[in-house]
Amino acid sequence: MHVQEWLETVPAVAVYALVGLVIGLESLGIPLPGEIILVSSALLASQHGEIDPVVLGASATAGAIIGDSIGYAIGRKGGRPLLAWLGDKFPRHFSEGHIATAERSFEKWGMWAVFFGRFVALLRIFAGPLAGVLRMPYWKFAIANVLGGILWAGGTTAVIYYVGIVAESWLKRFSWLGLVAAVLVGLTSMLVLKRKAKKAQPVAAAE
């Protein structure tokens, strides 16, 4: 809620730029709250006509695809020493255990790890750099990157935006009961999608 309140104080163009930048940096390999910024912005778009949900979704998608592509290039050039450096700088996110789990996911699922990694916080940070470190063929990475970016960024924006529209309409008609029902529908949809994505990870990740 604090993020959304802060976003209300900045112009629409700044919201588009911020969403694209934060998601791009997260996809590049820097642990930032990209999903929180995207969800908050989509909810804000449903409440204020100044923010265009189509432009917002396009900004998020562009940030996701470009960030992952840069991360791939950095990972391909930096190799495993890059992962060691990231482990020193961000031990919470790039610990040896997390890297090993992500690496097993890539070895088993290949380009699908990049695609489904969009919906899993840990893999969303690792996807680009690790694909480069493991020398995944770029054409495979590009296909998974583009499709995953469109589905995650664009899909999340659309779902949250329309949930916000429905919630506001129900709030006017049925008070808080409509709001609670609409939010539950949206959260359930996101949780089901994330659960399916996590099932795509290898059994080693669960261990």
Side-chain angles (χ1 to χ4, degrees), residues 13-106:
V13 64
V15 174
Y16 304 143
L18 179 66
V19 168
L21 178 63
V22 172
I23 291 178
L25 291 175
E26 182 189 37
S27 301
L28 190 153
I30 300 175
L32 292 174
E35 192 170 44
I36 294 176
I37 294 293
L38 179 58
V39 170
S40 299
S41 300
L43 281 174
L44 187 61
S46 70
Q47 301 166 4
H48 299 276
E50 295 85 358
I51 299 178
D52 189 332
V54 176
V55 177
L56 180 64
S59 300
T61 301
I65 294 173
I66 294 172
D68 241 20
S69 298
I70 296 175
Y72 174 90
I74 293 174
R76 193 173 181 87
K77 184 176 181 179
R80 294 192 176 277
L82 173 64
L83 297 180
W85 180 84
L86 289 173
D88 292 335
K89 296 295 182 181
F90 307 102
R92 180 180 175 184
H93 297 87
F94 290 89
S95 66
E96 292 183 4
H98 286 169
I99 292 176
T101 296
E103 189 170 356
R104 285 193 292 268
S105 298
F106 271 72

Side-chain angles (χ1 to χ4, degrees), residues 133-148:
V133 170
L134 297 178
R135 302 281 176 172
M136 177 183 291
Y138 182 74
W139 68 269
K140 288 186 176 182
F141 169 80
I143 292 174
N145 179 31
V146 172
L147 294 180

Side-chain angles (χ1 to χ4, degrees), residues 112 128 180 200:
W112 291 109
V180 172

Side-chain angles (χ1 to χ4, degrees), residues 28 34 42 122 130 170:
L28 190 153
L122 176 64
L130 191 56
W170 283 18

